[in-house]
Amino acid sequence: MNFHTRKWVKPEDLNPNGTLFGGRLLAWIDEEAAIYAIVQLGTSRVVTKFMSEINFVSSARQGDIIELGITASAFGRTSISLCVEIRNKITRERILTIDRIVLVSVDADFKPVPHGRTRITYIEDRFREQAGSNDSHNDSHNDSHKDETPQKAPRRRADSASDLKNA
């Protein structure tokens, strides 16, 4: 499970019981799932088609920092299925799980369209694909001006202060 987004639970996120409002959390999940699907499918338009049972395991309170974890579990012809886990960043206590969210790639008329993806891609894969297409573009236009400068490795995002010290 990759945890991409962190949210700080603020007073405006609370229900009358003083815990994180479930509707707010579901809105965050839907937005994060859409962003994840857009990146994975390489498209700019997706819609949420299905969300399985939502299992609230514990709650979050004001001041808590929560993490939204998402991973692709299956690729369809026009869809992607995701698994979701929400946890407390500090305690790692699980807050919520959703076994399956299905998002569908759609065109401007909101009709399903094939996306052509069959597996999870990572940023390194996309850099390689982009570099490969740039190399072939350069090769076909001008072989004598190839850039021999080595490429820098992509920077890793620090998850904590200790990661910053060790970077």
Side-chain angles (χ1 to χ4, degrees):
M1 180 78 52
N2 296 314
F3 290 87
H4 299 281
T5 299
R6 290 161 186 96
K7 296 283 188 180
W8 192 4
V9 180
K10 298 178 280 200
E12 59 267 26
D13 303 322
L14 303 179
N15 63 28
N17 299 318
T19 59
L20 178 59
F21 176 55
R24 176 73 54 130
L25 182 55
L26 290 174
W28 291 342
I29 291 167
D30 195 37
E31 179 180 28
E32 185 67 19
I35 292 168
Y36 184 91
I38 286 166
V39 170
Q40 285 300 315
L41 301 180
T43 184
S44 61
R45 193 174 314 224
V46 298
V47 295
T48 304
K49 178 173 175 49
F50 173 81
M51 205 176 275
S52 70
E53 178 179 295
I54 300 161
N55 185 14
F56 288 92
V57 179
S58 66
S59 59
R61 299 194 174 277
Q62 182 178 335
D64 285 351
I65 299 169
I66 63 169
E67 298 182 298
L68 288 77
I70 296 181
T71 193
S73 57
F75 288 80
R77 191 176 69 82
T78 63
S79 66
I80 183 171
S81 295
L82 309 175
C83 298
V84 177
E85 179 182 336
I86 309 301
R87 68 183 184 189
N88 182 302
K89 170 70 176 157
I90 307 304
T91 67
R92 301 282 198 243
E93 182 179 15
R94 184 178 288 165
I95 295 170
L96 173 143
T97 60
I98 302 174
D99 290 335
R100 187 168 171 232
I101 298 177
V102 177
L103 291 102
V104 176
S105 175
V106 295
D107 63 16
D109 296 321
F110 297 98
K111 303 278 190 249
V113 293
H115 51 70
R117 301 291 172 101
T118 58
R119 65 177 180 84
I120 296 175
T121 58
Y122 298 96
I123 192 73
E124 294 85 7
D125 298 330
R126 289 188 286 277
F127 283 148
R128 270 194 292 282
E129 287 172 8
Q130 187 177 21
S133 68
N134 287 342
D135 287 347
S136 65
H137 176 74
N138 290 340
D139 288 347
S140 65
H141 288 303
N142 193 347
D143 285 335
S144 63
H145 295 291
K146 280 192 177 178
D147 183 6
E148 300 294 330
T149 308
Q151 298 293 317
K152 288 184 179 179
R155 292 184 58 170
R156 184 173 72 87
R157 183 173 156 191
D159 286 328
S160 66
S162 64
D163 286 348
L164 289 172
K165 285 190 247 179
N166 297 329

